[in-house]
Amino acid sequence: IVFNDYRTVDHGGTMKRALITGVTGQDGSYLTELLLSKGYEVHGIKRRSSLFNTERIDHVYNDPHEGGRFFLHYGDLTDSLNVTEIIQKVKPDEIYNLAAQSHVAVSFVQPEYTANVDAMGTLRILESVRLLGLQDKVKIYQASTSELFGKAVEFPQSENTPFYPRSPYGVAKLFAYWITINYREAYGMFACNGILFNHESSRRGETFVTRKITRGVTRILFGLDKKIYLGNLNAKRDFGHAQDYVKGMYLILQQPRPDDYVLATGITTEIREFIALAFDEVGLTVKFQGEGIKECGIVISYHEDVLLSRLQSVHCAPEHKENILQTARACLNKVVVGIDQRYFRPSEVDILIGDPTKAREKLGWEPQHTVKDIVSDMIISDLEKNYREYVLKTRGFTMSRSCGI
């Protein structure tokens, strides 16, 4: 990918220009697709790395020598001069700040970095817009989070629910939330917070619990792994689909006045239930037994017709089917889910469930995907990816294990 020295192009005022931080992430990729479909010119900020890390957006990117409406810029929210320079060059109509150190557990290990990116990074964007005199031109979307509610004091949580964050990530996002409102009120900026509850998809990062589950299920099925290790199975979250939520982000900035909105489904799902749904998708029924760190998930039944249907959907070769079916049968009465104390947080968030009434009434926004839809989407994607590894293994190739934690 070529990162171009972008020069402002005059489109005669007919094409909106958006700047997305965190463009290579799950939400950034879906938002890029959405804005391009609406005729936007889209600019994304990407941190410099020795690896491209652009898998989620490669399909919408054109070499700048060949033209197009999607441009990438090297940048980092910890560098205020860099942020200011990009905003000055691009002169966006809309800024979507999606970049963050967004892993809650990691925020306990890297609290200072989390605060620098998630809290101060938001301030750097707001202040850059103000210093450049663009406060009357640019609309700003700030990605807030349901982790603001943390140890929730009411159910479901709405825009009026008091905040009680329980992690460095949540606390950093709390600063970002209030500094966005402060700049809106102090300088008249069109700056909005989207308080988004958990939103998943096949593009979710592999270290997040939902993707860890669906990836683990498919790897067990292909005999690539034997067990999934997780932390707190009692946690309950309001899971939506990222594609639905980026539509909400867009709608928030199309309103006549800036405001803050909760985007959620209003339904909460326990992690155990998510695990069970994931195994169900490949024809395996899991039952949980034991308590605390001794709890485990055991396969108690096997439904071959379901598995065959899933293998058909990923175009599994006939010569591989019987071996995969044998692996699935061998899972019966085996422990496939275990608990690892390392994955417990120092302070847990027990239950989150959002109230999207305001978004429904003012934005006309409604989630279109159920939890079962989300699990199915993720399982099919991970079946495709891990089937490729399975095929290589059957051909004698040795696959390196990921060192991700």
Side-chain angles (χ1 to χ4, degrees):
I1 285 183
V2 176
F3 289 80
N4 56 305
D5 182 12
Y6 174 78
R7 295 290 185 266
T8 301
V9 178
D10 182 8
H11 296 290
T14 60
M15 185 183 295
K16 282 188 176 181
R17 186 177 294 138
L19 176 64
I20 303 174
T21 70
V23 73
T24 60
Q26 169 189 253
D27 295 2
S29 64
Y30 282 123
L31 182 61
T32 297
E33 290 175 349
L34 177 67
L35 295 180
L36 287 173
S37 74
K38 293 184 177 296
Y40 276 64
E41 179 181 292
V42 179
H43 295 256
I45 296 179
K46 179 196 180 300
R47 284 180 299 163
R48 196 272 165 192
S49 169
S50 58
L51 300 175
F52 280 133
N53 189 31
T54 54
E55 178 184 354
R56 297 183 180 102
I57 55 172
D58 284 342
H59 64 290
V60 294
Y61 186 83
N62 290 322
D63 189 297
H65 303 102
E66 300 172 1
R69 291 183 287 113
F70 181 36
F71 305 87
L72 291 175
H73 308 261
Y74 281 127
D76 197 308
L77 291 188
T78 63
D79 186 340
S80 57
L81 291 177
N82 171 248
V83 170
T84 302
E85 181 186 25
I86 292 172
I87 294 174
Q88 183 181 40
K89 279 186 176 181
V90 174
K91 293 182 175 59
D93 299 293
E94 298 171 1
I95 296 175
Y96 295 85
N97 182 29
L98 311 184
Q101 191 301 99
S102 58
H103 199 287
V104 176
V106 171
S107 76
F108 285 99
V109 181
Q110 294 185 296
E112 182 181 342
Y113 175 74
T114 301
N116 194 9
V117 176
D118 299 9
M120 296 304 296
T122 304
L123 175 59
R124 291 180 184 108
I125 290 173
L126 293 164
E127 186 66 358
S128 292
V129 169
R130 186 186 73 84
L131 290 173
L132 291 169
L134 298 173
Q135 63 266 33
D136 296 328
K137 167 182 166 54
V138 180
K139 294 182 177 182
I140 301 171
Y141 171 85
Q142 167 58 25
S144 277
T145 169
S146 58
E147 289 289 329
L148 295 178
F149 299 115
K151 193 175 181 180
V153 298
E154 66 180 28
F155 303 91
Q157 294 92 45
S158 72
E159 294 82 1
N160 299 316
T161 300
F163 298 132
Y164 194 150
R166 297 269 284 172
S167 66
Y169 169 74
V171 172
K173 283 290 191 176
L174 184 61
F175 175 89
Y177 174 89
W178 281 115
I179 201 65
T180 298
I181 292 176
N182 179 253
Y183 270 63
R184 181 169 76 210
E185 296 177 349
Y187 304 114
M189 287 187 181
F190 197 110
C192 309
N193 287 289
I195 307 173
L196 273 58
F197 281 66
N198 292 63
H199 43 290
E200 318 299 319
S201 76
S202 58
R203 300 181 190 177
R204 192 57 143 147
E206 293 176 351
T207 60
F208 289 86
V209 65
T210 52
R211 183 69 194 288
K212 188 174 182 180
I213 291 166
T214 60
R215 180 175 181 268
V217 167
T218 59
R219 290 183 66 80
I220 289 170
L221 187 66
F222 292 127
L224 301 173
D225 285 335
K226 294 181 179 179
K227 192 186 296 188
I228 308 168
Y229 289 96
L230 300 167
N232 180 17
L233 303 187
N234 295 317
K236 295 181 179 180
R237 293 294 184 270
D238 186 328
F239 293 115
H241 199 292
Q243 275 188 312
D244 294 337
Y245 285 56
V246 299
K247 292 175 184 175
M249 298 175 191
Y250 167 77
L251 289 171
I252 287 171
L253 291 195
Q254 310 315 307
Q255 302 310 299
R257 288 182 296 275
D259 206 347
D260 309 310
Y261 298 87
V262 163
L263 299 184
T265 68
I267 301 170
T268 194
T269 302
E270 190 178 65
I271 297 301
R272 281 186 197 83
E273 184 180 351
F274 196 99
I275 296 167
L277 287 170
F279 276 102
D280 283 345
E281 283 291 321
V282 297
L284 299 175
T285 303
V286 170
K287 180 180 180 180
F288 291 90
Q289 64 181 41
E291 295 181 358
I293 61 172
K294 300 292 186 182
E295 185 173 5
C296 62
I298 299 174
V299 176
I300 60 169
S301 64
Y302 161 63
H303 307 280
E304 190 167 292
D305 57 331
V306 176
L307 178 52
L308 283 170
S309 173
R310 281 287 173 249
L311 293 177
Q312 186 70 27
S313 70
V314 297
H315 308 292
C316 178
E319 64 267 24
H320 296 144
K321 283 184 181 177
E322 186 53 40
N323 285 337
I324 295 170
L325 293 175
Q326 286 180 7
T327 302
R329 294 186 199 110
C331 288
L332 276 171
N333 302 315
K334 296 286 181 62
V335 174
V336 290
V337 180
I339 304 298
D340 188 331
Q341 208 160 9
R342 292 180 302 168
Y343 298 126
F344 284 86
R345 301 175 187 174
S347 50
E348 291 284 349
V349 174
D350 297 324
I351 177 171
L352 293 172
I353 177 171
D355 178 3
T357 300
K358 181 178 176 181
R360 182 172 60 249
E361 293 178 351
K362 292 195 172 184
L363 304 178
W365 179 84
E366 292 270 8
Q368 301 299 309
H369 296 80
T370 66
V371 172
K372 195 174 186 311
D373 294 335
I374 296 163
V375 174
S376 180
D377 174 37
M378 297 174 73
I379 283 289
I380 290 173
S381 175
D382 279 324
L383 278 172
E384 291 174 347
K385 291 176 181 177
N386 288 303
Y387 177 57
R388 290 195 290 268
E389 183 173 335
Y390 168 82
V391 172
L392 289 172
K393 187 177 179 181
T394 62
R395 300 293 173 86
F397 290 91
T398 301
M399 304 300 295
S400 300
R401 291 296 302 270
S402 169
C403 59
I405 57 175

